[in-house]
Amino acid sequence: MLDWRLLARSDRAYVRVAVDRAALPTTLVVDASASMAFPVATRAKWATATQVAIGLAAVAHADGDPTGLIVPREYEPTVQLTARTRRGVLAEFDRLLDDIDPDGAAPLAPAIAAARTPRIAVISDLLSDADAMLASARVHIARGGEMFLVHVVAPEELDPPRRTLLAVDPERPELHRLLDASARDRYLRSFAEWREHVAAAWRASGAAYTLATTEEPIASIVRRIVTGGL
Amino acid sequence: MSWLLPSALGIAAVAALATLALHFISRRRPIAEPLPTAHFVPPRAVHARVAARAFADPLLLAIRVLAIVLLGAAVAAPIARSSRGRVARVVVLDRSRAVASSQELRDSALAVARPGDLIVVADSAAAPLPKTSTLASLTTTSAAGSLSAALAGGIAAAASIGATADSVQIVLVSPLEQSELDAATAAVRATWPARIRVVPLRLAAPDTSTTRATLRADSNDALLAAASLDGLVAGGGSASPSRIRLIRTAPDSSDIAWARGPAHVLVQWPARAAPSDWGSRPPGTDSVSAVVAGGDAVVGTLRRPWRLPALQSGQRVVARWIDGEPAAIETQFGAGCVRQVAIAFDEHSDMALRAPFRRIFARLVAPCSGGERASRRAGTSSIDMLRGSATALASAPSARLDSTRSTRSPITPWLLAVGALLLIGEMALRRSPRRSTV
């Protein structure tokens, strides 16, 4: 910007270069439903979600933005940490997330609605209440907020085992589906179409959508999200 | 070691192979695995099973196959045989009156029988030779022969020793008289699943003495006329003495002594006074007017003023009144028999001259144990029938004898018990949660 005072004193025009940035409180909403504890042996989805959350919190904290955390739970009290900038917030995030064992099928839409920060980053597999989440996200964006969605997907979901198995939804144990060679193609097609639909819907709402597989390095995922605007 | 029902082993082997094959192509229930995106799988019936061609569950397979084999072995009933490869023999000796002589019978028996053979003697009935008797002391009897009885006795004896040998052979030593065959002979023969070695004996010469009777009666007796008409009266010039004596009076001591003779028949047919042990009937109650003997019957003015004594052991009814009451009974008496006839008729009528009455009369004066002896060899076809098919086995495998049904295997209960335990174990193993093979 032009430095008018310096111009008046020296009759020379100077341009003042300064960082003019307001603090942007950020809330991380992390999905801890049973579907995130997949695969059972490694719980790679939950590990990816927590590491991405820590990474995003680190980025926000480094920018001086107050950062909060909400982890909805079905059988236990919701983990909620209001946005803050104090030192040690990352360690606190790490401790809280490390103590969580994903289970249940708690919806995330109420958590999105409850987050009062102008920026919300949701880390989820969208297998619980995707439509309600999208609706809450639209409300938040309409209010001028920023919305980031990190869609966590496991390779075992993208390419399930080729042997015949009885697929059981961990969030709805009563749901059994026979996955064999004949059903495999239709599964892959349906899942791909759904991912495309979800990505398009969230992007259309104004949110930044990022697909994260558990195979991808966390730094790469965080970098993609940050370069997208976080 | 042999088996009472070897086919059970074959069935068990087939079942074991089928079980083995099923284990190789077992169908498993799909393994349940968590998949968060399960609802993207198109809905289908989840009770489908998955074929697995890999060898599945060797422990379960071993238990199943072992249980099947043990149960099959239990049903097959193993029995231990001490005389493996041995062919047992049953020699059936026909000692009926059709045999030419006792010497003929003894010579043939000694020539045919070997040590260890089971000897069965038969006339109208068959029974194993008593242990107290020997072939050297064997004699013929006056009884009519029956090849049906001889075969039945021989087959029963063969079945009784079936468990002690691998196979059994029957040797039939008989004069094969035509009259010894009856309607049951072929059926009885058909129950023996092998050939029968037939050793024919010489037939007894026709004995006219047994077809002619000596009558002691009044000269005007009606029965004398009937006997004369049929040529049954023994003449004074007869070469051989008559073995049938018909008396119309009470028997004396000489009659009793004579009746003990071999094949002697004393026919006691009172004309008026009945023996004291016969019951009497009030006059005028003789409403029955028919008598049946064998296949013959006579209907007419027949009276029955007496009631024969109750039948006792060793007696048989020769003729009956139409209401079933015995009209004539026969009692074995020494080597002969005494026949008591309680039939009265009007001797002034022509009853005795009628053909039906004469046929009944002929039966009443027939040799002991019924019927006349025809002394004629059975036909070739009948003898071939007795021998059996040339393609049949010479001896019957003991496993095919009916006696095996009553032979018990001492191992069978143990095999069944172990098999049952294995099945219980199989059920427990199959229901264990870690197994999904069905």
Short mmCIF file of all heavy atoms in Angstrom, two decimals, chain A residues 35 38 40 127 157 163-168 170 172 176-178 180 182 186-187 191 194, chain B residues 29-50:
data_model
loop_
_atom_site.label_atom_id
_atom_site.label_comp_id
_atom_site.label_asym_id
_atom_site.label_seq_id
_atom_site.Cartn_x
_atom_site.Cartn_y
_atom_site.Cartn_z
N SER A 35 -16.35 -47.64 11.39
CA SER A 35 -15.83 -47.86 10.04
C SER A 35 -14.41 -47.32 9.88
O SER A 35 -13.71 -47.68 8.94
CB SER A 35 -16.75 -47.20 9.01
OG SER A 35 -16.80 -45.81 9.23
N PHE A 38 -10.57 -49.63 10.33
CA PHE A 38 -10.46 -50.58 9.22
C PHE A 38 -9.17 -50.31 8.47
O PHE A 38 -8.80 -49.14 8.29
CB PHE A 38 -11.66 -50.44 8.28
CG PHE A 38 -11.65 -51.39 7.13
CD1 PHE A 38 -12.06 -52.70 7.29
CD2 PHE A 38 -11.21 -50.98 5.87
CE1 PHE A 38 -12.04 -53.58 6.23
CE2 PHE A 38 -11.18 -51.85 4.81
CZ PHE A 38 -11.61 -53.16 4.99
N VAL A 40 -9.14 -54.17 10.19
CA VAL A 40 -9.16 -54.50 11.61
C VAL A 40 -7.75 -54.66 12.16
O VAL A 40 -7.44 -54.22 13.27
CB VAL A 40 -9.99 -55.79 11.83
CG1 VAL A 40 -9.95 -56.20 13.28
CG2 VAL A 40 -11.42 -55.57 11.37
N LEU A 127 -19.08 -42.48 5.76
CA LEU A 127 -19.93 -43.67 5.71
C LEU A 127 -20.99 -43.67 6.80
O LEU A 127 -21.71 -44.64 6.95
CB LEU A 127 -19.07 -44.94 5.83
CG LEU A 127 -18.12 -45.18 4.65
CD1 LEU A 127 -17.23 -46.38 4.93
CD2 LEU A 127 -18.91 -45.40 3.37
N GLU A 157 -10.88 -51.07 0.61
CA GLU A 157 -12.23 -50.67 0.19
C GLU A 157 -12.25 -50.40 -1.32
O GLU A 157 -13.24 -50.71 -1.99
CB GLU A 157 -12.68 -49.43 0.94
CG GLU A 157 -12.85 -49.65 2.43
CD GLU A 157 -13.07 -48.36 3.19
OE1 GLU A 157 -12.57 -47.30 2.74
OE2 GLU A 157 -13.73 -48.40 4.24
N ARG A 163 -11.32 -63.13 -3.02
CA ARG A 163 -12.01 -64.33 -2.53
C ARG A 163 -13.44 -63.98 -2.13
O ARG A 163 -13.74 -62.84 -1.81
CB ARG A 163 -11.25 -64.92 -1.34
CG ARG A 163 -11.25 -64.02 -0.13
CD ARG A 163 -10.53 -64.68 1.04
NE ARG A 163 -10.57 -63.84 2.22
CZ ARG A 163 -9.73 -62.87 2.47
NH1 ARG A 163 -8.77 -62.60 1.61
NH2 ARG A 163 -9.82 -62.13 3.58
N THR A 164 -14.28 -65.00 -2.14
CA THR A 164 -15.66 -64.77 -1.74
C THR A 164 -15.73 -64.57 -0.24
O THR A 164 -15.13 -65.34 0.52
CB THR A 164 -16.52 -65.98 -2.13
OG1 THR A 164 -16.47 -66.13 -3.54
CG2 THR A 164 -17.97 -65.79 -1.70
N LEU A 165 -16.40 -63.54 0.16
CA LEU A 165 -16.52 -63.27 1.59
C LEU A 165 -17.90 -62.69 1.89
O LEU A 165 -18.61 -62.21 0.99
CB LEU A 165 -15.41 -62.34 2.06
CG LEU A 165 -15.26 -60.99 1.36
CD1 LEU A 165 -16.14 -59.94 2.00
CD2 LEU A 165 -13.82 -60.54 1.39
N LEU A 166 -18.21 -62.77 3.13
CA LEU A 166 -19.48 -62.19 3.58
C LEU A 166 -19.14 -60.85 4.23
O LEU A 166 -18.65 -60.79 5.35
CB LEU A 166 -20.14 -63.14 4.59
CG LEU A 166 -21.59 -62.87 4.93
CD1 LEU A 166 -22.46 -63.01 3.69
CD2 LEU A 166 -22.06 -63.82 6.01
N ALA A 167 -19.39 -59.78 3.46
CA ALA A 167 -19.01 -58.45 3.94
C ALA A 167 -19.99 -57.98 5.01
O ALA A 167 -21.21 -58.04 4.83
CB ALA A 167 -19.01 -57.48 2.76
N VAL A 168 -19.44 -57.55 6.13
CA VAL A 168 -20.25 -57.08 7.25
C VAL A 168 -19.90 -55.63 7.52
O VAL A 168 -18.72 -55.28 7.66
CB VAL A 168 -19.98 -57.94 8.51
CG1 VAL A 168 -20.84 -57.46 9.67
CG2 VAL A 168 -20.24 -59.41 8.21
N PRO A 170 -19.26 -52.74 9.76
CA PRO A 170 -18.96 -52.68 11.19
C PRO A 170 -19.87 -51.72 11.95
O PRO A 170 -20.04 -51.86 13.16
CB PRO A 170 -17.50 -52.22 11.24
CG PRO A 170 -17.20 -51.67 9.90
CD PRO A 170 -18.13 -52.32 8.94
N ARG A 172 -23.05 -51.31 11.11
CA ARG A 172 -24.38 -51.96 11.10
C ARG A 172 -24.15 -53.47 10.95
O ARG A 172 -24.20 -54.01 9.84
CB ARG A 172 -25.24 -51.43 9.96
CG ARG A 172 -25.71 -50.00 10.18
CD ARG A 172 -26.60 -49.55 9.04
NE ARG A 172 -25.86 -49.38 7.80
CZ ARG A 172 -26.42 -49.18 6.61
NH1 ARG A 172 -27.72 -49.13 6.51
NH2 ARG A 172 -25.66 -49.03 5.54
N HIS A 176 -25.30 -57.80 6.08
CA HIS A 176 -24.39 -58.80 5.51
C HIS A 176 -24.60 -58.80 4.00
O HIS A 176 -25.73 -58.85 3.53
CB HIS A 176 -24.69 -60.20 6.05
CG HIS A 176 -24.35 -60.37 7.50
ND1 HIS A 176 -25.06 -59.75 8.50
CD2 HIS A 176 -23.38 -61.09 8.10
CE1 HIS A 176 -24.53 -60.09 9.67
NE2 HIS A 176 -23.51 -60.90 9.46
N ARG A 177 -23.52 -58.74 3.29
CA ARG A 177 -23.61 -58.82 1.83
C ARG A 177 -22.58 -59.81 1.34
O ARG A 177 -21.42 -59.79 1.79
CB ARG A 177 -23.35 -57.46 1.18
CG ARG A 177 -24.40 -56.40 1.52
CD ARG A 177 -25.68 -56.60 0.76
NE ARG A 177 -26.77 -55.79 1.25
CZ ARG A 177 -26.99 -54.51 0.91
NH1 ARG A 177 -26.17 -53.93 0.08
NH2 ARG A 177 -28.01 -53.86 1.39
N LEU A 178 -23.01 -60.68 0.41
CA LEU A 178 -22.11 -61.68 -0.15
C LEU A 178 -21.30 -61.04 -1.27
O LEU A 178 -21.84 -60.61 -2.28
CB LEU A 178 -22.91 -62.87 -0.69
CG LEU A 178 -22.08 -64.02 -1.24
CD1 LEU A 178 -21.30 -64.68 -0.12
CD2 LEU A 178 -22.97 -65.04 -1.94
N ASP A 180 -18.74 -61.79 -3.95
CA ASP A 180 -18.01 -62.78 -4.72
C ASP A 180 -17.66 -62.18 -6.08
O ASP A 180 -17.82 -60.96 -6.29
CB ASP A 180 -18.84 -64.07 -4.88
CG ASP A 180 -20.20 -63.80 -5.49
OD1 ASP A 180 -20.45 -62.65 -5.92
OD2 ASP A 180 -21.01 -64.73 -5.57
N SER A 182 -19.04 -62.30 -8.92
CA SER A 182 -20.13 -61.69 -9.69
C SER A 182 -20.54 -60.35 -9.10
O SER A 182 -20.98 -59.45 -9.82
CB SER A 182 -21.33 -62.64 -9.73
OG SER A 182 -21.81 -62.87 -8.43
N ARG A 186 -19.87 -54.95 -9.65
CA ARG A 186 -20.93 -53.99 -9.32
C ARG A 186 -20.55 -53.19 -8.09
O ARG A 186 -20.89 -52.00 -7.97
CB ARG A 186 -22.24 -54.73 -9.10
CG ARG A 186 -22.79 -55.33 -10.41
CD ARG A 186 -24.06 -56.13 -10.16
NE ARG A 186 -25.13 -55.31 -9.62
CZ ARG A 186 -26.29 -55.80 -9.18
NH1 ARG A 186 -26.50 -57.11 -9.26
NH2 ARG A 186 -27.21 -55.01 -8.70
N TYR A 187 -19.86 -53.83 -7.15
CA TYR A 187 -19.40 -53.10 -5.96
C TYR A 187 -18.42 -52.00 -6.35
O TYR A 187 -18.56 -50.84 -5.92
CB TYR A 187 -18.75 -54.08 -4.99
CG TYR A 187 -17.91 -53.40 -3.92
CD1 TYR A 187 -18.50 -52.86 -2.78
CD2 TYR A 187 -16.53 -53.29 -4.07
CE1 TYR A 187 -17.73 -52.22 -1.83
CE2 TYR A 187 -15.76 -52.65 -3.11
CZ TYR A 187 -16.36 -52.12 -1.99
OH TYR A 187 -15.60 -51.48 -1.05
N PHE A 191 -19.18 -48.08 -5.76
CA PHE A 191 -18.34 -47.32 -4.84
C PHE A 191 -17.65 -46.15 -5.56
O PHE A 191 -17.56 -45.03 -5.02
CB PHE A 191 -17.31 -48.27 -4.22
CG PHE A 191 -16.53 -47.67 -3.09
CD1 PHE A 191 -17.14 -46.82 -2.17
CD2 PHE A 191 -15.18 -47.95 -2.94
CE1 PHE A 191 -16.42 -46.27 -1.12
CE2 PHE A 191 -14.46 -47.40 -1.89
CZ PHE A 191 -15.08 -46.56 -0.99
N TRP A 194 -20.15 -43.46 -6.24
CA TRP A 194 -20.49 -42.74 -5.01
C TRP A 194 -19.38 -41.75 -4.65
O TRP A 194 -19.65 -40.61 -4.27
CB TRP A 194 -20.70 -43.76 -3.88
CG TRP A 194 -20.93 -43.12 -2.54
CD1 TRP A 194 -22.08 -42.55 -2.09
CD2 TRP A 194 -19.97 -42.96 -1.49
NE1 TRP A 194 -21.93 -42.06 -0.83
CE2 TRP A 194 -20.63 -42.29 -0.42
CE3 TRP A 194 -18.64 -43.30 -1.34
CZ2 TRP A 194 -19.98 -41.99 0.76
CZ3 TRP A 194 -18.01 -43.00 -0.15
CH2 TRP A 194 -18.67 -42.35 0.90
N ARG B 29 -19.38 -72.08 4.11
CA ARG B 29 -20.12 -70.84 4.27
C ARG B 29 -19.10 -69.71 4.12
O ARG B 29 -18.00 -69.80 4.66
CB ARG B 29 -20.76 -70.80 5.65
CG ARG B 29 -21.63 -69.59 5.88
CD ARG B 29 -22.23 -69.65 7.27
NE ARG B 29 -23.03 -68.48 7.53
CZ ARG B 29 -24.26 -68.31 7.15
NH1 ARG B 29 -24.83 -69.27 6.47
NH2 ARG B 29 -24.93 -67.21 7.42
N PRO B 30 -19.42 -68.68 3.37
CA PRO B 30 -18.45 -67.60 3.18
C PRO B 30 -17.99 -67.04 4.53
O PRO B 30 -18.77 -66.92 5.47
CB PRO B 30 -19.23 -66.55 2.39
CG PRO B 30 -20.34 -67.30 1.75
CD PRO B 30 -20.67 -68.42 2.67
N ILE B 31 -16.73 -66.70 4.56
CA ILE B 31 -16.17 -66.15 5.79
C ILE B 31 -16.64 -64.70 5.95
O ILE B 31 -16.56 -63.89 5.03
CB ILE B 31 -14.64 -66.20 5.71
CG1 ILE B 31 -14.19 -67.65 5.57
CG2 ILE B 31 -14.01 -65.55 6.93
CD1 ILE B 31 -12.72 -67.79 5.29
N ALA B 32 -17.13 -64.41 7.13
CA ALA B 32 -17.61 -63.05 7.40
C ALA B 32 -16.42 -62.16 7.71
O ALA B 32 -15.58 -62.49 8.55
CB ALA B 32 -18.58 -63.08 8.57
N GLU B 33 -16.34 -61.05 6.99
CA GLU B 33 -15.26 -60.10 7.21
C GLU B 33 -15.84 -58.70 7.23
O GLU B 33 -16.75 -58.38 6.45
CB GLU B 33 -14.22 -60.19 6.08
CG GLU B 33 -13.44 -61.49 6.07
CD GLU B 33 -12.37 -61.47 5.00
OE1 GLU B 33 -12.02 -60.37 4.52
OE2 GLU B 33 -11.90 -62.55 4.63
N PRO B 34 -15.33 -57.87 8.11
CA PRO B 34 -15.84 -56.49 8.13
C PRO B 34 -15.40 -55.72 6.89
O PRO B 34 -14.26 -55.85 6.44
CB PRO B 34 -15.20 -55.91 9.41
CG PRO B 34 -14.02 -56.77 9.68
CD PRO B 34 -14.33 -58.13 9.14
N LEU B 35 -16.33 -54.97 6.35
CA LEU B 35 -16.02 -54.11 5.20
C LEU B 35 -16.93 -52.88 5.34
O LEU B 35 -18.14 -52.97 5.17
CB LEU B 35 -16.31 -54.84 3.89
CG LEU B 35 -15.98 -54.04 2.62
CD1 LEU B 35 -14.47 -53.79 2.53
CD2 LEU B 35 -16.47 -54.76 1.37
N PRO B 36 -16.35 -51.73 5.70
CA PRO B 36 -17.19 -50.55 5.95
C PRO B 36 -18.05 -50.18 4.76
O PRO B 36 -19.13 -49.61 4.93
CB PRO B 36 -16.15 -49.46 6.24
CG PRO B 36 -14.95 -50.20 6.74
CD PRO B 36 -14.93 -51.48 5.99
N THR B 37 -17.58 -50.50 3.57
CA THR B 37 -18.36 -50.14 2.37
C THR B 37 -19.26 -51.30 1.93
O THR B 37 -19.58 -51.43 0.75
CB THR B 37 -17.40 -49.77 1.24
OG1 THR B 37 -16.43 -50.82 1.11
CG2 THR B 37 -16.68 -48.47 1.54
N ALA B 38 -19.65 -52.14 2.88
CA ALA B 38 -20.42 -53.34 2.54
C ALA B 38 -21.73 -52.99 1.86
O ALA B 38 -22.24 -53.77 1.03
CB ALA B 38 -20.67 -54.17 3.79
N HIS B 39 -22.28 -51.82 2.19
CA HIS B 39 -23.60 -51.52 1.61
C HIS B 39 -23.51 -51.19 0.12
O HIS B 39 -24.54 -51.04 -0.53
CB HIS B 39 -24.30 -50.40 2.38
CG HIS B 39 -23.62 -49.08 2.29
ND1 HIS B 39 -22.60 -48.71 3.14
CD2 HIS B 39 -23.80 -48.03 1.45
CE1 HIS B 39 -22.19 -47.49 2.83
NE2 HIS B 39 -22.91 -47.04 1.80
N PHE B 40 -22.28 -51.07 -0.42
CA PHE B 40 -22.15 -50.91 -1.87
C PHE B 40 -22.18 -52.25 -2.60
O PHE B 40 -22.27 -52.28 -3.82
CB PHE B 40 -20.84 -50.18 -2.20
CG PHE B 40 -20.83 -48.76 -1.74
CD1 PHE B 40 -20.10 -48.37 -0.63
CD2 PHE B 40 -21.59 -47.80 -2.41
CE1 PHE B 40 -20.10 -47.06 -0.20
CE2 PHE B 40 -21.59 -46.48 -1.98
CZ PHE B 40 -20.85 -46.11 -0.87
N VAL B 41 -22.11 -53.34 -1.83
CA VAL B 41 -22.21 -54.67 -2.44
C VAL B 41 -23.68 -54.92 -2.76
O VAL B 41 -24.54 -54.69 -1.90
CB VAL B 41 -21.68 -55.75 -1.48
CG1 VAL B 41 -21.82 -57.14 -2.10
CG2 VAL B 41 -20.24 -55.47 -1.10
N PRO B 42 -23.98 -55.33 -3.98
CA PRO B 42 -25.39 -55.58 -4.30
C PRO B 42 -25.98 -56.64 -3.38
O PRO B 42 -25.33 -57.66 -3.11
CB PRO B 42 -25.36 -56.05 -5.76
CG PRO B 42 -23.96 -56.48 -6.00
CD PRO B 42 -23.11 -55.64 -5.11
N PRO B 43 -27.18 -56.41 -2.91
CA PRO B 43 -27.80 -57.39 -2.01
C PRO B 43 -28.07 -58.70 -2.72
O PRO B 43 -28.58 -58.73 -3.85
CB PRO B 43 -29.10 -56.71 -1.56
CG PRO B 43 -29.32 -55.60 -2.52
CD PRO B 43 -28.03 -55.24 -3.15
N ARG B 44 -27.72 -59.82 -2.05
CA ARG B 44 -27.96 -61.18 -2.57
C ARG B 44 -28.27 -62.07 -1.40
O ARG B 44 -28.12 -61.68 -0.24
CB ARG B 44 -26.72 -61.72 -3.29
CG ARG B 44 -26.46 -61.12 -4.65
CD ARG B 44 -25.18 -61.67 -5.22
NE ARG B 44 -25.21 -63.14 -5.29
CZ ARG B 44 -24.14 -63.88 -5.48
NH1 ARG B 44 -22.96 -63.32 -5.59
NH2 ARG B 44 -24.24 -65.18 -5.55
N ALA B 45 -28.66 -63.30 -1.72
CA ALA B 45 -28.88 -64.28 -0.65
C ALA B 45 -27.55 -64.56 0.03
O ALA B 45 -26.57 -64.91 -0.62
CB ALA B 45 -29.47 -65.56 -1.22
N VAL B 46 -27.52 -64.40 1.33
CA VAL B 46 -26.25 -64.57 2.03
C VAL B 46 -26.04 -66.00 2.50
O VAL B 46 -25.05 -66.30 3.12
CB VAL B 46 -26.17 -63.63 3.24
CG1 VAL B 46 -26.17 -62.21 2.79
CG2 VAL B 46 -27.31 -63.93 4.20
N HIS B 47 -27.01 -66.89 2.21
CA HIS B 47 -26.83 -68.27 2.65
C HIS B 47 -26.13 -69.10 1.59
O HIS B 47 -26.05 -70.32 1.70
CB HIS B 47 -28.16 -68.91 3.01
CG HIS B 47 -29.20 -68.78 1.94
ND1 HIS B 47 -29.17 -69.51 0.80
CD2 HIS B 47 -30.28 -67.97 1.85
CE1 HIS B 47 -30.20 -69.17 0.04
NE2 HIS B 47 -30.89 -68.24 0.65
N ALA B 48 -25.67 -68.45 0.54
CA ALA B 48 -24.94 -69.19 -0.48
C ALA B 48 -23.66 -69.76 0.12
O ALA B 48 -23.11 -69.24 1.07
CB ALA B 48 -24.59 -68.26 -1.63
N ARG B 49 -23.25 -70.89 -0.47
CA ARG B 49 -22.04 -71.53 0.03
C ARG B 49 -20.98 -71.51 -1.06
O ARG B 49 -21.28 -71.39 -2.23
CB ARG B 49 -22.34 -72.96 0.46
CG ARG B 49 -23.29 -72.99 1.64
CD ARG B 49 -23.53 -74.40 2.10
NE ARG B 49 -24.50 -74.43 3.17
CZ ARG B 49 -24.20 -74.19 4.43
NH1 ARG B 49 -22.96 -73.91 4.76
NH2 ARG B 49 -25.13 -74.22 5.36
N VAL B 50 -19.79 -71.65 -0.64
CA VAL B 50 -18.66 -71.53 -1.55
C VAL B 50 -17.99 -72.88 -1.68
O VAL B 50 -17.69 -73.54 -0.69
CB VAL B 50 -17.66 -70.50 -1.00
CG1 VAL B 50 -16.53 -70.30 -2.00
CG2 VAL B 50 -18.36 -69.20 -0.70
#
